[in-house]
Amino acid sequence: MTRRGLRLALALLILLGLALVIWPATQVAREQALDRLQEEADNELRLSVAGLRGHLSRHDYLPQLLASREPVQRFLSAPEERRAQAINVLLDGFRAIAEVSDVYLLDRHADTLAASNWHRPDTFIGQNYAFRRYYRDAIAGREGRFYGLGVLSRERGYYFSAPVWLPDDETEPAGVMVVKVLLDAQESAWAEQQAELLVVDGQGIIFMASRPELRLAALHPLSDAERQRLLATRRYADEPLAPSGLRQLERRGEHGDLVTFDRGPLDGQTFLRQARPLAELGWEMHILKPLTPVQAAQWQAALLAGGLYGILVLGTGVGWQRQRLRRQREHFAERERQTLARARDELERNVARRTHDLVETNRRLSDEIEERRRAEETLRQTQDELIQAAKLALLGQLAAGINHELNQPLAAVRSYAENARAFLARQQAERADANLAEIVELTGRMAEISAQLKQFSRKSGDQLTSVSVGDCFGYALRLYRARLDQDGVTVERRWPEAPVWVRADLVRLEQVLVNLIGNALQAMAQTPSPRLILGIDAQDDEVRIEVADNGPGIPETNLARIFEPFFTTKSIGTGLGLGLSISSRIIADLGGRLQAENLPEGGARFTIRLPRDRSPEVPEPHATQERHSHG
């Protein structure tokens, strides 16, 4: 064999060895990267599933709550006296508070009688929804759940329904209360992730997706029979439900695989897909992670394996060269020694340069691993913020106390009325008139009590006005008057006789004070000789409002988190931790701040700081009286 042929064979052998080293290295790197990506996708999918469940379940109480409202039951029980506008306004108010899309009321024949969108051109009023499953479930006496495309709005939503029972007729529901929740906000949150998220129903229809082009597409092509069944239910109206073009390439465990798309915006792209079922909803959520990290890991493995192989080949060549030089040393003496020195120096520089490249590659790998660890820690922390919330529990507690105060005046009214009839029968007009005067006074008192509850539920204004802090405290104490008397709570008022004014919204400030006083009363439930301390301190440009108690106080470990959303120290079922968080945001919106601290002598104190109003626009007395009387 000639020298040229020997060199060619050696080069081919080296290339074959390089291929045998790089191929298994890239395959091992691919499997490891796929495992890491699959674990990361599973974590993200678990958080997304929890977020979707929380987004939907935090509204499931609302239909039952609205169905139990006395105005709704009275509206259904007296068809000849229906005043739909009042119910429309009531439903629209609940829609705004609960932050849902629509709230509407159906009669027992599925005709829409009232709706929160009564003022819109596409209002539901007059529409019949007997074909919807949520109506059939609720009219049968069960809570209904349904997802689909709106017939009029063409918006995708999730529907909650509950039967409306009349107190004097529990044989069958008199109507159905329906709440619709849109899903766009949840999809907007998904769009921020570096992955594609899909929600697929039992028929294989992509009902939700982070990418708009994939929504209302079929995961796999539908047969004519399947398409006709979907059209018959009107769940997706007349949408074409075109195929998504998804095609499976490789299985990865029980719930994972590699997929690609043959059409659409993702045509030709390959993804790792993980699936997780939502059994209670009849859905399945998929996450599609791009294979960019896997490809990068393969390239890095190839470079690393090639570099190590090159060092090995280079080392072998160096050894062979040195052996050759030693054999020629006798013949070429000084010239060959100089040549060998230059070759050795050049080789050492090459080795140093390649070693430096390898060290830099390893450092980049370490930085990427640390970045991924921090991302996983951030994802775990977001789980604490995915709990459902409800803001109307306090209204039920206040209504129970005011109902207790109404019982005694009602009994007295009945007694006075019976006496007046007896006096009239005896023609004792003066005594009958005295009894009627007592009845008038008692009914005025009852109207004042009920007006307090109406005032608590009214909507706040958009404009900041002059607000008397003392009047706000007076309103809150009137709401809790029955509970204060029942628990024997001593109230200490520490404020000047002259009115102190702040620039705020009357309704929102009253509701914050009601919440703080309610929390204080609950904290003192087991405290002997409970004492509620209310204070107002007017300073130069600021007014400090204090609500303190002599209860057990707040644990020091919880002070830093007391205003975080969904953080609560109450027992399960007594609160969701939204009251103080919402109160803090309200005070911040009014230009102030809310703080909490423990008192040295025991108990807790909440302090509100608001801008002082030195030139208040004082409302006229008769206007104030009318507002408190009519709520």
Side-chain angles (χ1 to χ4, degrees), residues 189-200:
W190 294 349
E192 299 176 0
Q193 297 184 222
Q194 294 181 351
E196 303 295 339
L197 284 168
L198 315 174
V199 174
V200 182

Side-chain angles (χ1 to χ4, degrees), residues 51 81 87 139 165 175 232 259 311 326 330-331 338-339 353 431 463 506 514 520 542 619 628:
E81 299 179 2
I87 301 300
I139 204 66
W165 300 93
V259 297
I311 292 175
R326 281 196 297 268
E330 297 176 358
H331 303 285
Q338 294 177 357
T339 302
R353 184 168 57 253
R431 301 187 66 179
Q463 300 288 337
L506 175 63
V514 166
E542 187 180 73
H628 283 282

Side-chain angles (χ1 to χ4, degrees), residues 58-59 61-62 66 91-101 103 179 181 389-392:
R58 64 173 178 159
H59 300 296
Y61 73 96
L62 191 57
L66 292 177
L91 297 183
D92 193 28
F94 273 99
R95 177 203 61 77
I97 293 174
E99 297 179 351
V100 297
S101 173
V103 182
V179 174
V181 179
K391 300 186 288 183
L392 301 177

Side-chain angles (χ1 to χ4, degrees), residues 62-63 65-67 69 71-72 75 84-106 112-119 125 176-179:
L62 191 57
L65 176 66
L66 292 177
R69 297 284 293 176
V72 175
F75 176 72
Q85 186 59 25
I87 301 300
N88 290 335
V89 174
L90 176 66
L91 297 183
D92 193 28
F94 273 99
R95 177 203 61 77
I97 293 174
E99 297 179 351
V100 297
S101 173
D102 298 290
V103 182
Y104 49 102
L105 176 65
L106 310 180
T112 307
L113 302 180
S116 60
N117 60 359
W118 56 273
H119 53 283
I125 295 177
V176 173
M177 184 64 68
V178 186
V179 174

Side-chain angles (χ1 to χ4, degrees), residues 15 223 340 468 480 592 620:
L15 292 177
S223 65
L340 179 59
S468 171
Y480 284 109
E620 297 182 5

